[in-house]
Amino acid sequence: MALVDDMLTCKLGETESSLKVTFKKTVKVREYETEVTEVTNEIKIDDSITGMERIFVAEILKSQAEYVMYIDLYERGTVTKDEYMVKRKTIEDTLRTMIDRANGLNIDVSKYIKPNGGSL
């Protein structure tokens, strides 16, 4: 196992910690005019978790922030349906990759995400 994998399986022994993720997107609204939108998610974790779980929770927070942002941009007509669908697929693929990586390290992350109608 690589040192990076060892880092992902370790626990630091903390009894609580918090994770904060901010996603910022700048879009062009008119010629020479941009708009910056920012979404921040923060969560407090009440038990000791592995490095992989910490990364997975952070990815879920980031993915939620990105998805909220793109729903808003799509509804306001700032991004096209195609752009929205590409981002949605990218987010889903990233989550699927994170789940596969955790499974490869024998770390169960199913307590953090429960896909509807089956597994991701």
Side-chain angles (χ1 to χ4, degrees), residues 3-28:
L3 188 56
V4 171
D5 292 333
D6 290 339
M7 174 195 64
L8 295 177
T9 60
C10 75
K11 290 188 176 189
L12 302 176
E14 76 278 6
T15 56
E16 71 174 47
S17 62
S18 68
L19 290 172
K20 183 177 181 177
V21 175
T22 299
F23 179 76
K24 191 182 291 189
K25 175 84 173 151
T26 303
V27 293
K28 181 179 176 182

PDB file of all heavy atoms in Angstrom, residues 3-28:
ATOM      1  N   LEU A   3       2.016   5.209   0.638  1.00  0.00           N
ATOM      2  CA  LEU A   3       1.911   6.108   1.785  1.00  0.00           C
ATOM      3  C   LEU A   3       0.626   6.933   1.722  1.00  0.00           C
ATOM      4  O   LEU A   3      -0.021   7.172   2.742  1.00  0.00           O
ATOM      5  CB  LEU A   3       3.141   7.020   1.854  1.00  0.00           C
ATOM      6  CG  LEU A   3       3.282   7.889   3.086  1.00  0.00           C
ATOM      7  CD1 LEU A   3       3.273   7.048   4.361  1.00  0.00           C
ATOM      8  CD2 LEU A   3       4.562   8.708   3.006  1.00  0.00           C
ATOM      9  N   VAL A   4       0.240   7.345   0.519  1.00  0.00           N
ATOM     10  CA  VAL A   4      -1.005   8.111   0.355  1.00  0.00           C
ATOM     11  C   VAL A   4      -2.198   7.264   0.796  1.00  0.00           C
ATOM     12  O   VAL A   4      -3.106   7.750   1.466  1.00  0.00           O
ATOM     13  CB  VAL A   4      -1.175   8.588  -1.102  1.00  0.00           C
ATOM     14  CG1 VAL A   4      -2.540   9.192  -1.329  1.00  0.00           C
ATOM     15  CG2 VAL A   4      -0.096   9.580  -1.463  1.00  0.00           C
ATOM     16  N   ASP A   5      -2.215   5.985   0.432  1.00  0.00           N
ATOM     17  CA  ASP A   5      -3.297   5.100   0.858  1.00  0.00           C
ATOM     18  C   ASP A   5      -3.307   4.940   2.366  1.00  0.00           C
ATOM     19  O   ASP A   5      -4.371   4.903   2.988  1.00  0.00           O
ATOM     20  CB  ASP A   5      -3.179   3.736   0.182  1.00  0.00           C
ATOM     21  CG  ASP A   5      -3.430   3.811  -1.318  1.00  0.00           C
ATOM     22  OD1 ASP A   5      -4.156   4.731  -1.752  1.00  0.00           O
ATOM     23  OD2 ASP A   5      -2.905   2.959  -2.045  1.00  0.00           O
ATOM     24  N   ASP A   6      -2.118   4.842   2.971  1.00  0.00           N
ATOM     25  CA  ASP A   6      -2.035   4.770   4.433  1.00  0.00           C
ATOM     26  C   ASP A   6      -2.646   6.022   5.065  1.00  0.00           C
ATOM     27  O   ASP A   6      -3.344   5.947   6.073  1.00  0.00           O
ATOM     28  CB  ASP A   6      -0.586   4.626   4.891  1.00  0.00           C
ATOM     29  CG  ASP A   6       0.004   3.268   4.559  1.00  0.00           C
ATOM     30  OD1 ASP A   6      -0.772   2.315   4.354  1.00  0.00           O
ATOM     31  OD2 ASP A   6       1.244   3.171   4.492  1.00  0.00           O
ATOM     32  N   MET A   7      -2.377   7.187   4.459  1.00  0.00           N
ATOM     33  CA  MET A   7      -2.933   8.439   4.966  1.00  0.00           C
ATOM     34  C   MET A   7      -4.463   8.421   4.903  1.00  0.00           C
ATOM     35  O   MET A   7      -5.137   8.886   5.812  1.00  0.00           O
ATOM     36  CB  MET A   7      -2.416   9.625   4.147  1.00  0.00           C
ATOM     37  CG  MET A   7      -3.047  10.952   4.521  1.00  0.00           C
ATOM     38  SD  MET A   7      -2.777  12.264   3.321  1.00  0.00           S
ATOM     39  CE  MET A   7      -3.629  11.645   1.885  1.00  0.00           C
ATOM     40  N   LEU A   8      -5.009   7.822   3.849  1.00  0.00           N
ATOM     41  CA  LEU A   8      -6.455   7.792   3.689  1.00  0.00           C
ATOM     42  C   LEU A   8      -7.135   6.855   4.675  1.00  0.00           C
ATOM     43  O   LEU A   8      -8.308   7.036   4.997  1.00  0.00           O
ATOM     44  CB  LEU A   8      -6.819   7.392   2.258  1.00  0.00           C
ATOM     45  CG  LEU A   8      -6.401   8.373   1.175  1.00  0.00           C
ATOM     46  CD1 LEU A   8      -6.761   7.820  -0.201  1.00  0.00           C
ATOM     47  CD2 LEU A   8      -7.036   9.740   1.382  1.00  0.00           C
ATOM     48  N   THR A   9      -6.429   5.855   5.158  1.00  0.00           N
ATOM     49  CA  THR A   9      -7.040   4.904   6.091  1.00  0.00           C
ATOM     50  C   THR A   9      -6.809   5.261   7.554  1.00  0.00           C
ATOM     51  O   THR A   9      -7.430   4.677   8.435  1.00  0.00           O
ATOM     52  CB  THR A   9      -6.505   3.476   5.847  1.00  0.00           C
ATOM     53  OG1 THR A   9      -5.095   3.462   6.037  1.00  0.00           O
ATOM     54  CG2 THR A   9      -6.855   2.984   4.454  1.00  0.00           C
ATOM     55  N   CYS A  10      -5.937   6.231   7.832  1.00  0.00           N
ATOM     56  CA  CYS A  10      -5.631   6.555   9.231  1.00  0.00           C
ATOM     57  C   CYS A  10      -6.739   7.382   9.883  1.00  0.00           C
ATOM     58  O   CYS A  10      -7.529   8.024   9.215  1.00  0.00           O
ATOM     59  CB  CYS A  10      -4.294   7.294   9.327  1.00  0.00           C
ATOM     60  SG  CYS A  10      -4.352   9.006   8.790  1.00  0.00           S
ATOM     61  N   LYS A  11      -6.780   7.305  11.194  1.00  0.00           N
ATOM     62  CA  LYS A  11      -7.661   8.143  12.001  1.00  0.00           C
ATOM     63  C   LYS A  11      -6.772   8.977  12.893  1.00  0.00           C
ATOM     64  O   LYS A  11      -5.742   8.504  13.379  1.00  0.00           O
ATOM     65  CB  LYS A  11      -8.612   7.303  12.850  1.00  0.00           C
ATOM     66  CG  LYS A  11      -9.671   6.590  12.054  1.00  0.00           C
ATOM     67  CD  LYS A  11     -10.695   5.942  12.966  1.00  0.00           C
ATOM     68  CE  LYS A  11     -11.806   5.327  12.145  1.00  0.00           C
ATOM     69  NZ  LYS A  11     -12.922   4.884  12.974  1.00  0.00           N
ATOM     70  N   LEU A  12      -7.169  10.219  13.127  1.00  0.00           N
ATOM     71  CA  LEU A  12      -6.351  11.112  13.934  1.00  0.00           C
ATOM     72  C   LEU A  12      -6.746  11.091  15.404  1.00  0.00           C
ATOM     73  O   LEU A  12      -6.076  11.687  16.232  1.00  0.00           O
ATOM     74  CB  LEU A  12      -6.430  12.539  13.382  1.00  0.00           C
ATOM     75  CG  LEU A  12      -5.990  12.690  11.921  1.00  0.00           C
ATOM     76  CD1 LEU A  12      -6.208  14.116  11.448  1.00  0.00           C
ATOM     77  CD2 LEU A  12      -4.540  12.280  11.750  1.00  0.00           C
ATOM     78  N   GLY A  13      -7.867  10.437  15.727  1.00  0.00           N
ATOM     79  CA  GLY A  13      -8.280  10.311  17.112  1.00  0.00           C
ATOM     80  C   GLY A  13      -9.098  11.472  17.640  1.00  0.00           C
ATOM     81  O   GLY A  13      -9.466  11.499  18.804  1.00  0.00           O
ATOM     82  N   GLU A  14      -9.406  12.449  16.785  1.00  0.00           N
ATOM     83  CA  GLU A  14     -10.196  13.588  17.250  1.00  0.00           C
ATOM     84  C   GLU A  14     -11.616  13.136  17.561  1.00  0.00           C
ATOM     85  O   GLU A  14     -12.105  12.168  16.994  1.00  0.00           O
ATOM     86  CB  GLU A  14     -10.208  14.710  16.196  1.00  0.00           C
ATOM     87  CG  GLU A  14     -11.102  14.469  14.994  1.00  0.00           C
ATOM     88  CD  GLU A  14     -10.517  13.588  13.894  1.00  0.00           C
ATOM     89  OE1 GLU A  14      -9.430  13.025  14.069  1.00  0.00           O
ATOM     90  OE2 GLU A  14     -11.181  13.442  12.868  1.00  0.00           O
ATOM     91  N   THR A  15     -12.240  13.801  18.483  1.00  0.00           N
ATOM     92  CA  THR A  15     -13.624  13.453  18.825  1.00  0.00           C
ATOM     93  C   THR A  15     -14.623  14.299  18.057  1.00  0.00           C
ATOM     94  O   THR A  15     -15.784  13.945  17.965  1.00  0.00           O
ATOM     95  CB  THR A  15     -13.885  13.620  20.335  1.00  0.00           C
ATOM     96  OG1 THR A  15     -13.556  14.957  20.709  1.00  0.00           O
ATOM     97  CG2 THR A  15     -13.054  12.635  21.133  1.00  0.00           C
ATOM     98  N   GLU A  16     -14.175  15.422  17.517  1.00  0.00           N
ATOM     99  CA  GLU A  16     -15.021  16.212  16.626  1.00  0.00           C
ATOM    100  C   GLU A  16     -14.140  17.113  15.774  1.00  0.00           C
ATOM    101  O   GLU A  16     -13.021  17.451  16.139  1.00  0.00           O
ATOM    102  CB  GLU A  16     -16.053  17.043  17.383  1.00  0.00           C
ATOM    103  CG  GLU A  16     -15.489  18.216  18.147  1.00  0.00           C
ATOM    104  CD  GLU A  16     -16.588  19.072  18.747  1.00  0.00           C
ATOM    105  OE1 GLU A  16     -17.509  18.531  19.362  1.00  0.00           O
ATOM    106  OE2 GLU A  16     -16.501  20.293  18.576  1.00  0.00           O
ATOM    107  N   SER A  17     -14.648  17.426  14.613  1.00  0.00           N
ATOM    108  CA  SER A  17     -13.944  18.345  13.722  1.00  0.00           C
ATOM    109  C   SER A  17     -14.973  18.982  12.806  1.00  0.00           C
ATOM    110  O   SER A  17     -16.127  18.578  12.783  1.00  0.00           O
ATOM    111  CB  SER A  17     -12.872  17.604  12.914  1.00  0.00           C
ATOM    112  OG  SER A  17     -13.459  16.628  12.088  1.00  0.00           O
ATOM    113  N   SER A  18     -14.565  19.987  12.081  1.00  0.00           N
ATOM    114  CA  SER A  18     -15.489  20.585  11.131  1.00  0.00           C
ATOM    115  C   SER A  18     -14.799  20.693   9.784  1.00  0.00           C
ATOM    116  O   SER A  18     -13.578  20.817   9.691  1.00  0.00           O
ATOM    117  CB  SER A  18     -15.977  21.951  11.613  1.00  0.00           C
ATOM    118  OG  SER A  18     -14.938  22.888  11.612  1.00  0.00           O
ATOM    119  N   LEU A  19     -15.599  20.589   8.751  1.00  0.00           N
ATOM    120  CA  LEU A  19     -15.133  20.736   7.381  1.00  0.00           C
ATOM    121  C   LEU A  19     -15.900  21.889   6.753  1.00  0.00           C
ATOM    122  O   LEU A  19     -17.114  22.002   6.920  1.00  0.00           O
ATOM    123  CB  LEU A  19     -15.403  19.471   6.570  1.00  0.00           C
ATOM    124  CG  LEU A  19     -14.585  18.244   6.899  1.00  0.00           C
ATOM    125  CD1 LEU A  19     -15.123  17.039   6.137  1.00  0.00           C
ATOM    126  CD2 LEU A  19     -13.132  18.465   6.540  1.00  0.00           C
ATOM    127  N   LYS A  20     -15.187  22.733   6.031  1.00  0.00           N
ATOM    128  CA  LYS A  20     -15.813  23.863   5.357  1.00  0.00           C
ATOM    129  C   LYS A  20     -15.324  23.876   3.916  1.00  0.00           C
ATOM    130  O   LYS A  20     -14.123  23.793   3.663  1.00  0.00           O
ATOM    131  CB  LYS A  20     -15.427  25.168   6.049  1.00  0.00           C
ATOM    132  CG  LYS A  20     -16.074  26.391   5.467  1.00  0.00           C
ATOM    133  CD  LYS A  20     -15.689  27.619   6.271  1.00  0.00           C
ATOM    134  CE  LYS A  20     -16.357  28.857   5.724  1.00  0.00           C
ATOM    135  NZ  LYS A  20     -16.041  30.034   6.533  1.00  0.00           N
ATOM    136  N   VAL A  21     -16.266  23.941   2.994  1.00  0.00           N
ATOM    137  CA  VAL A  21     -15.949  23.943   1.572  1.00  0.00           C
ATOM    138  C   VAL A  21     -16.655  25.127   0.929  1.00  0.00           C
ATOM    139  O   VAL A  21     -17.840  25.367   1.183  1.00  0.00           O
ATOM    140  CB  VAL A  21     -16.424  22.631   0.902  1.00  0.00           C
ATOM    141  CG1 VAL A  21     -16.202  22.667  -0.588  1.00  0.00           C
ATOM    142  CG2 VAL A  21     -15.728  21.430   1.507  1.00  0.00           C
ATOM    143  N   THR A  22     -15.919  25.873   0.108  1.00  0.00           N
ATOM    144  CA  THR A  22     -16.504  26.999  -0.612  1.00  0.00           C
ATOM    145  C   THR A  22     -16.299  26.774  -2.104  1.00  0.00           C
ATOM    146  O   THR A  22     -15.210  26.416  -2.537  1.00  0.00           O
ATOM    147  CB  THR A  22     -15.848  28.328  -0.197  1.00  0.00           C
ATOM    148  OG1 THR A  22     -16.069  28.519   1.203  1.00  0.00           O
ATOM    149  CG2 THR A  22     -16.439  29.507  -0.944  1.00  0.00           C
ATOM    150  N   PHE A  23     -17.364  26.961  -2.866  1.00  0.00           N
ATOM    151  CA  PHE A  23     -17.298  26.872  -4.322  1.00  0.00           C
ATOM    152  C   PHE A  23     -17.650  28.240  -4.875  1.00  0.00           C
ATOM    153  O   PHE A  23     -18.670  28.816  -4.519  1.00  0.00           O
ATOM    154  CB  PHE A  23     -18.267  25.812  -4.850  1.00  0.00           C
ATOM    155  CG  PHE A  23     -18.267  25.697  -6.345  1.00  0.00           C
ATOM    156  CD1 PHE A  23     -17.230  25.048  -6.994  1.00  0.00           C
ATOM    157  CD2 PHE A  23     -19.277  26.237  -7.100  1.00  0.00           C
ATOM    158  CE1 PHE A  23     -17.216  24.944  -8.375  1.00  0.00           C
ATOM    159  CE2 PHE A  23     -19.277  26.150  -8.477  1.00  0.00           C
ATOM    160  CZ  PHE A  23     -18.234  25.493  -9.114  1.00  0.00           C
ATOM    161  N   LYS A  24     -16.783  28.768  -5.717  1.00  0.00           N
ATOM    162  CA  LYS A  24     -16.981  30.092  -6.285  1.00  0.00           C
ATOM    163  C   LYS A  24     -16.984  29.965  -7.800  1.00  0.00           C
ATOM    164  O   LYS A  24     -16.139  29.286  -8.378  1.00  0.00           O
ATOM    165  CB  LYS A  24     -15.844  31.013  -5.849  1.00  0.00           C
ATOM    166  CG  LYS A  24     -16.062  32.467  -6.158  1.00  0.00           C
ATOM    167  CD  LYS A  24     -14.877  33.323  -5.751  1.00  0.00           C
ATOM    168  CE  LYS A  24     -14.760  33.383  -4.256  1.00  0.00           C
ATOM    169  NZ  LYS A  24     -13.758  34.357  -3.796  1.00  0.00           N
ATOM    170  N   LYS A  25     -17.936  30.615  -8.451  1.00  0.00           N
ATOM    171  CA  LYS A  25     -18.061  30.564  -9.902  1.00  0.00           C
ATOM    172  C   LYS A  25     -18.220  31.975 -10.432  1.00  0.00           C
ATOM    173  O   LYS A  25     -19.041  32.745  -9.945  1.00  0.00           O
ATOM    174  CB  LYS A  25     -19.279  29.713 -10.286  1.00  0.00           C
ATOM    175  CG  LYS A  25     -19.612  29.670 -11.737  1.00  0.00           C
ATOM    176  CD  LYS A  25     -18.809  28.634 -12.448  1.00  0.00           C
ATOM    177  CE  LYS A  25     -19.295  28.497 -13.874  1.00  0.00           C
ATOM    178  NZ  LYS A  25     -18.264  28.090 -14.765  1.00  0.00           N
ATOM    179  N   THR A  26     -17.421  32.329 -11.437  1.00  0.00           N
ATOM    180  CA  THR A  26     -17.527  33.623 -12.099  1.00  0.00           C
ATOM    181  C   THR A  26     -18.077  33.387 -13.497  1.00  0.00           C
ATOM    182  O   THR A  26     -17.557  32.549 -14.239  1.00  0.00           O
ATOM    183  CB  THR A  26     -16.144  34.309 -12.202  1.00  0.00           C
ATOM    184  OG1 THR A  26     -15.604  34.433 -10.886  1.00  0.00           O
ATOM    185  CG2 THR A  26     -16.241  35.673 -12.836  1.00  0.00           C
ATOM    186  N   VAL A  27     -19.151  34.083 -13.839  1.00  0.00           N
ATOM    187  CA  VAL A  27     -19.748  33.939 -15.160  1.00  0.00           C
ATOM    188  C   VAL A  27     -19.858  35.300 -15.840  1.00  0.00           C
ATOM    189  O   VAL A  27     -19.993  36.332 -15.176  1.00  0.00           O
ATOM    190  CB  VAL A  27     -21.152  33.286 -15.094  1.00  0.00           C
ATOM    191  CG1 VAL A  27     -21.057  31.852 -14.629  1.00  0.00           C
ATOM    192  CG2 VAL A  27     -22.105  34.065 -14.228  1.00  0.00           C
ATOM    193  N   LYS A  28     -19.803  35.269 -17.146  1.00  0.00           N
ATOM    194  CA  LYS A  28     -19.965  36.492 -17.933  1.00  0.00           C
ATOM    195  C   LYS A  28     -21.460  36.736 -18.118  1.00  0.00           C
ATOM    196  O   LYS A  28     -22.177  35.870 -18.617  1.00  0.00           O
ATOM    197  CB  LYS A  28     -19.272  36.327 -19.287  1.00  0.00           C
ATOM    198  CG  LYS A  28     -19.348  37.543 -20.166  1.00  0.00           C
ATOM    199  CD  LYS A  28     -18.615  37.292 -21.474  1.00  0.00           C
ATOM    200  CE  LYS A  28     -18.788  38.482 -22.389  1.00  0.00           C
ATOM    201  NZ  LYS A  28     -18.130  38.259 -23.677  1.00  0.00           N
TER     202      LYS A  28
END
